[in-house]
Amino acid sequence: MSATIEPRAEALQQRLQAAIDQVNRVLLGKPHQVKLAFTCLIAGGHLLLEDVPGVGKTTLAHALAATFSLEFQRVQFTSDLLPSDIIGVSVYERDSGKFRFHPGPIFTGLLLADEINRASPKTQSALLEAMAENQVTVDGQTHALAQPFFVVATQNPLDLNGTFPLPDSQLDRFMLRLSLDYPDPVAERALLTGSDRADLLARLTPQLDAESLLALHERAQAITASGALLDYLQALLAASRRHPEIRAGLSPRAGLALLGAARAWAMLSGRGHVLPEDVQALFVPLAAHRLLATRGADGALLARQLLAEVAVD
């Protein structure tokens, strides 16, 4: 049996590498962020991209959907957007005398919530049930979402006009928060002299599908995490809860997310076990947006302090 399973696993690994290479050809000069994005999707998480406009956040979301052959919907979040514009609405049909549910764009494989913090908190909260439970409830009826289902949200810095801070419960639903930042000079020159990003996106071909993505998720969850590794992870969680500048540390859900992401990162790195370096590589993008500071301290800085303070035994 192993003789038949191993070639399939090797073929899946080759397709995964082809998928990563394809996205890197579109999002130039950002291999670390691309690996983090793949880690998030393989671990079954949702991704928050926070940066100034025009650095490739939407391009990355389009490239991920095309590469994984996921049904794609984009919602432009604005101040007048309503929850029903995302989830859907029940409409009374005179002929049948019944209400019929008309699904919204959330019923897709990958939902791009573009500029999510331009919508009101009420509309932002429409995603909470979907992101936590892969379902939505309308008029007392529960509707299951696609499998797999991912939210990739973009967010502008909060000092820009017309933005609303995401509530803590919403931030906690995002496994990772990434910043793409400006390209380096070499990548920017390639952008200026190369093909238009829209043309490149139109030429992308599926390298994986939903079934393959679920198989990768299962493989990642089988990656070994030793007792010593779990001790280190728990020590980071405990340190976040007693840090004097953090009023709310990392929850058990954050711990599970960190372990799942570390397993996916280890798999992408070609290993069958998790190392402390895997946890460290993911800790800031996973923890920074979850840490609630007492005096307005930066979450990323606090996360790096925790990494520096907690020793690896």
Side-chain angles (χ1 to χ4, degrees):
M1 183 176 293
S2 60
T4 59
I5 292 176
E6 195 58 37
R8 292 178 184 174
E10 184 177 349
L12 185 59
Q13 191 71 28
Q14 291 174 351
R15 291 167 60 197
L16 175 59
Q17 188 58 53
I20 295 172
D21 293 342
Q22 175 168 270
V23 175
N24 276 320
R25 287 194 294 271
V26 177
L27 198 73
L28 298 177
K30 303 296 178 184
H32 182 69
Q33 288 91 333
V34 168
K35 184 177 179 181
L36 285 169
F38 271 74
T39 295
C40 188
L41 265 63
I42 290 171
H46 304 289
L47 181 64
L48 179 61
L49 303 172
E50 182 180 83
D51 220 321
V52 296
V55 293
K57 303 186 297 295
T58 303
T59 298
L60 174 58
H62 277 283
L64 290 171
T67 299
F68 282 105
S69 190
L70 296 172
E71 184 181 352
F72 178 82
Q73 292 283 349
R74 174 181 179 177
V75 176
Q76 184 66 48
F77 278 57
T78 58
S79 59
D80 59 349
L81 190 73
L82 299 175
S84 59
D85 296 328
I86 304 169
I87 296 175
V89 63
S90 294
V91 177
Y92 181 76
E93 295 183 338
R94 184 179 301 176
D95 293 341
S96 63
K98 297 179 180 178
F99 283 91
R100 181 180 177 185
F101 177 64
H102 291 254
I106 202 169
F107 288 85
T108 188
L110 191 150
L111 175 70
L112 172 58
D114 209 6
E115 297 185 307
I116 187 173
N117 60 333
R118 289 198 179 277
S120 68
K122 179 179 181 180
T123 300
Q124 293 173 12
S125 66
L127 294 173
L128 289 177
E129 182 184 11
M131 295 173 68
E133 303 176 38
N134 277 15
Q135 65 180 34
V136 295
T137 303
V138 180
D139 296 332
Q141 295 294 317
T142 299
H143 306 272
L145 298 175
Q147 290 292 330
F149 167 71
F150 300 106
V151 173
V152 176
T154 70
Q155 173 171 263
N156 295 323
L158 292 177
D159 55 352
L160 294 184
N161 290 332
T163 57
F164 299 86
L166 293 182
D168 298 336
S169 58
Q170 180 78 68
L171 286 171
D172 192 43
R173 299 300 199 275
F174 288 102
M175 177 175 281
L176 300 181
R177 183 184 67 177
L178 309 184
S179 174
L180 297 182
D181 207 352
Y182 294 110
D184 61 44
V186 174
E188 189 164 37
R189 178 59 64 90
L191 281 169
L192 293 171
T193 59
S195 300
D196 183 79
R197 297 299 98 182
D199 293 337
L200 286 178
L201 288 172
R203 294 199 295 267
L204 292 181
T205 57
Q207 303 296 321
L208 296 160
D209 55 19
E211 182 179 353
S212 300
L213 187 51
L214 292 173
L216 288 168
H217 176 70
E218 291 182 3
R219 284 185 59 195
Q221 294 309 298
I223 297 293
T224 301
S226 68
L229 186 283
L230 295 177
D231 289 342
Y232 176 59
L233 190 151
Q234 283 189 282
L236 285 170
L237 299 179
S240 75
R241 297 163 188 166
R242 62 173 181 263
H243 194 287
E245 294 185 52
I246 300 174
R247 60 182 173 85
L250 298 174
S251 67
R253 178 163 58 188
L256 289 170
L258 180 56
L259 179 58
R263 282 176 162 146
W265 183 270
M267 188 192 75
L268 286 170
S269 302
R271 281 182 278 100
H273 58 280
V274 181
L275 296 176
E277 290 87 339
D278 302 322
V279 174
Q280 293 163 355
L282 293 160
F283 190 71
V284 174
L286 186 139
H289 61 288
R290 292 179 163 94
L291 296 174
L292 305 181
T294 55
R295 295 189 297 272
D298 178 66
L301 177 60
L302 291 172
R304 285 190 285 269
Q305 287 179 3
L306 292 171
L307 283 177
E309 293 169 4
V310 178
V312 180
D313 294 329

